[in-house]
Amino acid sequence: MSEIRGIWITNTDSTVLDSQANIAEAMNFLAATGFNVVFPVVWSKGATVYPSQVMRSQFGLAIDPRYTGRDPLAELVTEARRVELKVIPWFEYGFASSYNQNGGQLLAKKPEWAARDCNGNLLKKNGFEWMNALDSQVQDFLLSLILEVVNNYDIDGIQGDDRIPAMPCEGGYDAGTVARYRQKFRRQPPSNPQDRRWLQWRADILTNFLARLNREVKAVNPNLLISMAPSIYDWGYKEYLQDSQTWLQRGLVDLLHPQAYRRDFNSYKQIIDRLVTEQTPQQRSRVAPGVLLNISSYRMTPQYLSQAIAHNRYCGINGEVFFFYEGLRSDNHALAKVLRNGAYAKSAAFPSVANLAQPQPENADSSVARGIQNLFKLWQNRF
């Protein structure tokens, strides 16, 4: 049996990366709970969580100051390998330069990299300030960070999310992008950021960046996985230019983790049911939804957790990735115990690149889940 059993490791509201001892304890806990892959943050708030020559040369800051004198990514790889966990570094901030910092150090040094809205202001959405993801220099910079990690660490892939490849639809009004659009269409970009052609043209630029990322990472090692965790389609397409359906159709991603972040099971089920209808069985074999364990004061209930996993298996989805680690440890490890004693009680191998290229055979847990669901439907139909 192969499944994707993943967890995001953050450096916000978390102490996992604060020391190698903390990292080792977390990896032990995850392996004992039944996980097989971790997604540790390596790019956040305009700084890396590993010593970066790219950042040193471009911005004079080799690593997030919290980790000076250490290499948390190297430490995590060592501890994860010790307990046979896969490691896929997560470039959390992507093309976002800062959060409520007016662009932070990146745009202070390179203001020409700023994304602009239709009024010429620095592009800001939900507190995040953005670099221009459509600009070739900005794309080269992000890709250089990714390739730096790929070339220097014993990892299993790389991951983007709702900020890479992405940009708020309100962006693209900088002089360079406007000139490119005008050259192609002989007119100014529309003031409506969700104009159909304007939306698709910018989304295509980001899709082409992902294609380039895929090529260059696979050129280093064809066995590395390209993992993406975008916002749910088509909201993510309209709001952040993430054409994730096209990514799947073109085979640009090995793993897709749509952020199905809902706080009750019925809302989550609606998203999963829609995902299943939008995808072919081959595409579905690459999908492991993002599931929200905790954020701020919210905590997932044990019942909801069990329902979500059972429904994933019923729908032929063999895996999920949880946001984020600390949710497993809350309430005396309540959610971890649900997994350890239930859906994750039996170990599962992490799928290979070759396995992901074709639909996965139904495993026993999936068969049981379908049987329970079908019996429940028959019972309902009697009344």
Side-chain angles (χ1 to χ4, degrees):
M1 179 176 73
S2 67
E3 291 183 353
I4 298 161
R5 299 176 178 180
I7 191 84
W8 277 289
I9 306 290
T10 69
N11 62 352
T12 300
D13 297 329
S14 173
T15 60
V16 171
L17 299 177
D18 288 358
S19 71
Q20 185 158 356
N22 286 8
I23 292 171
E25 195 277 334
M27 297 305 105
N28 289 342
F29 183 84
L30 290 170
T33 303
F35 285 88
N36 56 24
V37 58
V38 293
F39 297 87
V41 62
V42 293
W43 170 243
S44 175
K45 304 180 179 72
T48 54
V49 186
Y50 65 92
S52 169
Q53 290 303 314
V54 172
M55 286 296 292
R56 186 193 300 277
S57 63
Q58 296 254 27
F59 298 98
L61 180 68
I63 194 169
D64 185 315
R66 289 177 287 176
Y67 311 117
T68 300
R70 295 175 53 218
D71 186 342
L73 177 55
E75 294 169 3
L76 187 140
V77 168
T78 296
E79 300 300 340
R81 291 288 181 247
R82 178 177 54 80
V83 292
E84 300 183 344
L85 290 171
K86 302 291 186 181
V87 179
I88 300 180
W90 166 40
F91 291 80
E92 179 192 7
Y93 260 53
F95 288 108
S97 60
S98 60
Y99 182 76
N100 288 328
Q101 295 291 324
N102 197 37
Q105 63 153 348
L106 302 182
L107 296 186
K109 186 158 187 178
K110 295 188 178 289
E112 69 276 15
W113 284 7
R116 301 287 173 184
D117 64 20
C118 63
N119 296 314
N121 298 320
L122 172 62
L123 181 61
K124 182 173 182 176
K125 190 166 184 170
N126 297 327
F128 290 94
E129 293 101 6
W130 286 75
M131 295 182 284
N132 182 9
L134 309 177
D135 180 85
S136 61
Q137 288 188 9
V138 175
Q139 292 183 354
D140 288 347
F141 166 66
L142 256 294
L143 186 55
S144 68
L145 290 179
I146 291 169
L147 292 175
E148 182 174 54
V149 169
V150 165
N151 280 295
N152 291 307
Y153 294 90
D154 175 25
I155 58 174
D156 299 285
I158 61 91
Q159 184 180 70
D161 59 11
D162 53 349
R163 290 186 282 272
I164 178 172
M167 191 175 75
C169 68
E170 294 82 0
Y173 293 92
D174 59 285
T177 303
V178 167
R180 289 166 66 187
Y181 185 85
R182 192 169 57 236
Q183 182 178 26
K184 183 173 180 62
F185 296 108
R186 306 299 180 192
R187 64 183 65 186
Q188 290 288 108
S191 57
N192 174 15
Q194 292 192 345
D195 173 85
R196 183 181 59 82
R197 182 165 63 181
W198 176 226
L199 202 68
Q200 188 66 62
W201 182 77
R202 290 172 296 160
D204 287 346
I205 293 174
L206 294 183
T207 296
N208 290 335
F209 168 73
L210 179 57
R212 179 188 169 200
L213 184 159
N214 184 302
R215 286 194 306 273
E216 298 205 20
V217 169
K218 300 283 188 179
V220 176
N221 183 348
N223 292 318
L224 290 175
L225 295 165
I226 306 300
S227 163
M228 292 291 153
S231 296
I232 294 295
Y233 190 86
D234 65 350
W235 185 90
Y237 169 70
K238 292 177 178 177
E239 294 293 331
Y240 285 91
L241 310 178
Q242 294 198 294
D243 193 357
S244 54
Q245 284 296 94
T246 296
W247 303 351
L248 278 173
Q249 290 163 7
R250 289 180 56 182
L252 302 181
V253 294
D254 298 303
L255 294 174
L256 194 75
H257 313 292
Q259 295 183 16
Y261 293 168
R262 296 297 182 269
R263 302 189 183 198
D264 65 90
F265 173 66
N266 287 333
S267 299
Y268 176 83
K269 180 179 180 298
Q270 289 176 8
I271 288 177
I272 299 305
D273 290 347
R274 183 159 52 93
L275 281 174
V276 169
T277 62
E278 292 171 347
Q279 295 160 0
T280 67
Q282 183 173 351
Q283 291 170 348
R284 201 176 310 141
S285 71
R286 300 174 182 266
V287 174
V291 179
L292 183 64
L293 285 183
N294 64 297
I295 190 168
S296 301
S297 61
Y298 169 76
R299 297 290 182 273
M300 190 180 212
T301 66
Q303 180 185 19
Y304 175 10
L305 174 58
S306 297
Q307 289 175 308
I309 295 177
H311 192 65
N312 287 348
R313 302 300 179 271
Y314 170 73
C315 292
I317 295 174
N318 290 331
E320 48 279 323
V321 181
F322 294 106
F323 187 84
F324 58 100
Y325 174 80
E326 269 60 31
L328 297 172
R329 309 303 294 259
S330 299
D331 304 320
N332 193 28
H333 310 168
L335 297 182
K337 291 174 182 176
V338 169
L339 295 173
R340 187 180 302 178
N341 299 323
Y344 289 7
K346 297 179 182 178
S347 63
F350 186 83
S352 67
V353 173
N355 293 147
L356 293 166
Q358 54 190 344
Q360 296 297 295
E362 183 176 70
N363 62 42
D365 291 340
S366 176
S367 178
V368 170
R370 287 182 188 277
I372 293 171
Q373 293 266 6
N374 289 334
L375 285 172
F376 182 67
K377 287 180 179 178
L378 288 171
W379 179 82
Q380 284 182 313
N381 291 335
R382 293 177 60 194
F383 299 94

